[in-house]
Amino acid sequence: MGYLSFPRHICLFVLLVSLAVSGLSDATSLPRAASSQAHSSPSYFRRLLDAPFAWASRRPTKSLNGWLDTHPKLLESFQRYSDQVVIRFNVSTKAHEAALRRAIDQMLLDVWDFTDNYTDIRIDARRIRPLMGILPHTLQDNHFVLIPDLARAVAATYPSRVPAHALVQSHSSNRGITPADDVPLPKRQGVDDLFFNDYQPLSVINTWMKLLDSMFKGRGLVRLISIGQSAEGRDIPALRVGMPSSDAETGGPGASRNTILITGGIHAREWISTTTVNYVAWSFIRKVDEDPVVAKILESFDMVFVPVLNPDGYEYTWEVDRLWRKSRQRTKMTYCPGFDLDHAFSYQWDAAQHQTEPCSESYGGDAPFQAVEAAELADWARNETEKGAKFVGYLDLHSYSQQVMYPYAYSCVARPPNMENLQEVAMNLAKHMRLSNGEVYTTASACEGAVAGEASANSSSAHSPRVEAGGGSAIDYIFHEFKARYSYQIKLRDTGSYGFLLPSEDIIPTGEELYQAMKYFGDYLLGNNGRESSSGATAVDSQTEQADIVANEEADVAELRRRRRRRGVSQST
């Protein structure tokens, strides 16, 4: 029996998604907006959501009030966040980093991000003074408030009739942070408008993935698979996307082929990582008949997309606490559940260097693979290799800071055998993401803490306190255990204006950035070094853009040379 042509598949798929997403029945737990009469005396948080703001909405969206009516625990978390801020420390020395790490451990603070020159921390406003009291005077003067109204920023990420840009006004001028009011409002149409208009709850994501499977598996293009089960018994679904090989015994993508693994949602609150995995999967599926590069990639590789590796934590962010990071598995302290999955894998897992306090946001357990979801991913990958699959690439999506990071995370002293290749591909991934929308992504070793390069000065410095321990990471494990030669952690938008609370208007631009990077990545793995992928680009026609690209490439090469010279000097000393 034949199957529908691909364009007719698309039309029918759009219709089904319209029913699944825009309708959102009771089965998906997304209620209708409550009438204004039902709230004659609105709370502070309801008035906050309905207050007038500077920017006007360009699209109608669902009312947040309706969601809150059936999720009262979210209001409790909003109340807690009303007294919290996010502050940024400019960290310039190893001593500063060590002092900040001790303070974070002592006060059990929530680290939002750390790069080679700053560290972002979420903290109650009343605890800022005690924090400053245990920090060096030189560090006390090197900080500023990044997000002054955390409750409002959190509220903006749920489906709402209030435009997300209006809900956060960060003090980011002239500080190298992506300006909050510079994020464009992209045009949306078709299926993108239905599913990628907003962040979606877990039930809608599962429905979306089932629809993709049912609509396109007839071609052998898509197959819905399971990575395993979460600690609370939820399925960890994945989409295997790839054209069936001629010798495949089944009707779907062959399990014995080279495989590229893409994961998101390891940290529950990083919603943009989850929706970007879905966006890239959808982009490859719908472009297979239009783009020869995409067709070649899917003829040669299976791409396995795992949008929510931490479904329990992700569900919790929609039901109870938007900023929950870890899994929801019970620990040795019943009142502090959850593991940081990115510190739970076995490769170079070192208990002495790990956070051993279960209440810490970076607690990875008291032993490797104590976290169920990390163990499930490892077991699935091992089972795939036993069937003959070979992992050739791994991308683990996170937010935020706009960085492409390569192994090793556990140490700056140990060097991967293909370090130069990893750096070259990282810089090209960053370049293709920049060409998509003009957003700059930097590259770095995942080992680097808040003071880049100093950790490689001597072997003992590998054990110096970092803002967050790097052992037990997913990219190190997949790179080492399964020989995935090109393994990367990509931290998506932005650079601090919103942090984990990126507006929904950024979903499609961010997805496009990663899609273009993935096209280059697949083409590179085919042996074309990205030439075919870049030949079809439409964004570099003008001489001005060409000059900008050359300048940025020269800057990338110069940075790579500086790092090599720095390593050479440190090794000679």
Side-chain angles (χ1 to χ4, degrees):
M1 181 177 178
Y3 51 82
L4 295 174
S5 65
F6 195 70
R8 293 182 63 189
H9 265 90
I10 294 289
C11 294
L12 185 55
F13 181 65
V14 170
L15 176 61
L16 290 174
V17 174
S18 300
L19 298 175
V21 179
S22 61
L24 286 172
S25 65
D26 293 338
T28 64
S29 305
L30 192 62
R32 295 182 180 180
S35 62
S36 58
Q37 290 81 0
H39 307 285
S40 57
S41 180
S43 67
Y44 162 76
F45 297 99
R46 297 190 191 283
R47 294 197 305 271
L48 177 151
L49 295 170
D50 293 330
F53 297 102
W55 294 275
S57 178
R58 298 191 184 184
R59 56 180 173 84
T61 56
K62 297 173 285 295
S63 169
L64 179 59
N65 290 348
W67 184 270
L68 295 181
D69 283 341
T70 55
H71 299 81
K73 291 184 177 180
L74 283 175
L75 281 176
E76 296 176 11
S77 68
F78 284 3
Q79 193 165 9
R80 184 169 68 253
Y81 294 143
S82 66
D83 297 323
Q84 295 184 358
V85 297
V86 177
I87 58 178
R88 171 165 291 182
F89 286 91
N90 296 316
V91 182
S92 57
T93 69
K94 184 175 289 291
H96 284 172
E97 182 176 19
L100 198 55
R101 166 67 184 271
R102 288 192 296 270
I104 290 166
D105 289 346
Q106 179 179 334
M107 301 181 67
L108 293 178
L109 299 177
D110 180 11
V111 177
W112 273 35
D113 189 31
F114 64 96
T115 68
D116 59 359
N117 53 25
Y118 67 78
T119 297
D120 297 344
I121 296 174
R122 174 170 65 97
I123 186 172
D124 286 331
R126 59 183 174 81
R127 301 183 73 195
I128 294 179
R129 185 184 295 272
L131 172 62
M132 297 303 165
I134 60 177
L135 292 177
H137 291 291
T138 52
L139 195 55
Q140 293 176 16
D141 298 329
N142 282 310
H143 78 280
F144 61 89
V145 176
L146 193 63
I147 300 179
D149 193 339
L150 191 59
R152 183 170 292 190
V154 167
T157 57
Y158 291 96
S160 170
R161 61 174 171 265
V162 178
H165 285 88
L167 292 168
V168 180
Q169 297 188 39
S170 173
H171 295 230
S172 59
S173 301
N174 302 319
R175 287 178 175 143
I177 307 167
T178 304
D181 55 354
D182 272 1
V183 183
L185 292 176
K187 295 180 180 179
R188 296 185 174 95
Q189 57 184 2
V191 72
D192 296 344
D193 189 40
L194 299 172
F195 187 73
F196 299 108
N197 190 61
D198 280 306
Y199 295 107
Q200 303 296 345
L202 185 63
S203 56
V204 176
I205 291 174
N206 290 338
T207 301
W208 161 266
M209 296 176 74
K210 290 176 182 177
L211 284 170
L212 285 170
D213 174 65
S214 63
M215 295 307 301
F216 302 112
K217 69 180 179 182
R219 298 187 59 174
L221 178 62
V222 178
R223 187 166 64 202
L224 181 65
I225 63 175
S226 176
I227 300 300
Q229 300 289 319
S230 70
E232 293 182 346
R234 292 182 175 87
D235 191 41
I236 305 175
L239 290 173
R240 187 189 295 274
V241 180
M243 298 297 291
S245 57
S246 58
D247 58 349
E249 296 180 1
T250 63
S256 62
R257 296 197 304 171
N258 290 339
T259 300
I260 302 172
L261 176 64
I262 306 98
T263 58
I266 281 184
H267 293 146
R269 62 191 176 190
E270 297 170 11
W271 285 5
I272 190 62
S273 70
T274 290
T275 194
T276 300
V277 172
N278 284 325
Y279 187 90
V280 175
W282 167 241
S283 297
F284 270 89
I285 292 168
R286 68 188 177 96
K287 291 289 188 178
V288 67
D289 286 341
E290 303 174 10
D291 191 326
V293 176
V294 171
K296 287 182 180 180
I297 292 171
L298 295 182
E299 287 169 0
S300 303
F301 303 105
D302 282 347
M303 304 182 76
V304 178
F305 297 91
V306 188
V308 192
L309 190 60
N310 178 12
D312 298 344
Y314 186 77
E315 179 76 359
Y316 195 76
T317 63
W318 280 86
E319 300 291 327
V320 180
D321 184 350
R322 171 65 179 86
L323 293 179
W324 186 260
R325 167 185 166 100
K326 301 185 290 184
S327 67
R328 292 294 301 166
Q329 184 178 342
R330 293 189 65 178
T331 67
K332 59 187 178 184
M333 291 186 181
T334 55
Y335 53 86
C336 289
F339 297 92
D340 181 347
L341 300 185
D342 204 30
H343 294 310
F345 292 85
S346 62
Y347 183 65
Q348 293 297 330
W349 192 98
D350 183 356
Q353 294 295 315
H354 266 64
Q355 172 58 256
T356 57
E357 169 57 62
C359 296
S360 170
E361 294 288 352
S362 59
Y363 176 64
D366 294 327
F369 290 127
Q370 194 172 351
V372 168
E373 294 81 3
E376 291 285 88
L377 179 64
D379 290 344
W380 170 82
R382 187 173 296 105
N383 186 54
E384 290 291 300
T385 58
E386 290 173 355
K387 293 178 182 178
K390 179 181 179 182
F391 289 94
V392 295
Y394 174 46
L395 273 69
D396 181 25
L397 304 190
H398 288 258
S399 69
Y400 57 96
S401 72
Q402 296 181 192
Q403 288 184 298
V404 181
M405 311 182 80
Y406 46 85
Y408 289 113
Y410 80 93
S411 170
C412 287
V413 176
R415 286 171 53 86
N418 62 329
M419 171 67 87
E420 292 189 359
N421 297 109
L422 284 167
Q423 292 173 325
E424 175 192 353
V425 173
M427 287 191 293
N428 277 287
L429 288 170
K431 182 184 78 171
H432 282 77
M433 295 175 83
R434 184 182 71 246
L435 292 180
S436 176
N437 289 304
E439 288 290 325
V440 175
Y441 283 73
T442 60
T443 65
S445 170
C447 72
E448 292 184 357
V451 186
E454 290 192 19
S456 60
N458 56 72
S459 59
S460 63
S461 66
H463 302 292
S464 298
R466 297 174 63 229
V467 170
E468 186 175 302
S473 71
I475 61 167
D476 284 3
Y477 178 77
I478 299 295
F479 177 82
H480 181 268
E481 295 295 327
F482 301 109
K483 313 303 179 186
R485 286 177 50 80
Y486 296 96
S487 181
Y488 297 94
Q489 181 182 105
I490 299 183
K491 293 187 176 183
L492 303 168
R493 293 191 186 190
D494 61 1
T495 54
S497 292
Y498 297 98
F500 302 125
L501 307 173
L502 197 68
S504 59
E505 285 86 0
D506 286 76
I507 290 175
I508 290 178
T510 305
E512 278 296 318
E513 288 163 5
L514 205 281
Y515 168 62
Q516 294 301 326
M518 284 298 302
K519 275 183 61 180
Y520 156 77
F521 189 53
D523 197 39
Y524 177 88
L525 293 176
L526 286 172
N528 296 318
N529 200 26
R531 287 188 295 269
E532 291 193 32
S533 176
S534 61
S535 65
T538 59
V540 291
D541 295 331
S542 69
Q543 292 182 353
T544 302
E545 285 180 305
Q546 289 284 6
D548 180 66
I549 293 168
V550 171
N552 279 283
E553 286 178 342
E554 290 176 349
D556 289 339
V557 172
E559 173 63 20
L560 180 56
R561 288 173 177 169
R562 282 194 297 270
R563 291 182 183 179
R564 288 175 179 169
R565 285 198 300 270
R566 189 165 57 213
R567 282 197 299 269
V569 171
S570 64
Q571 290 171 359
S572 63
T573 57

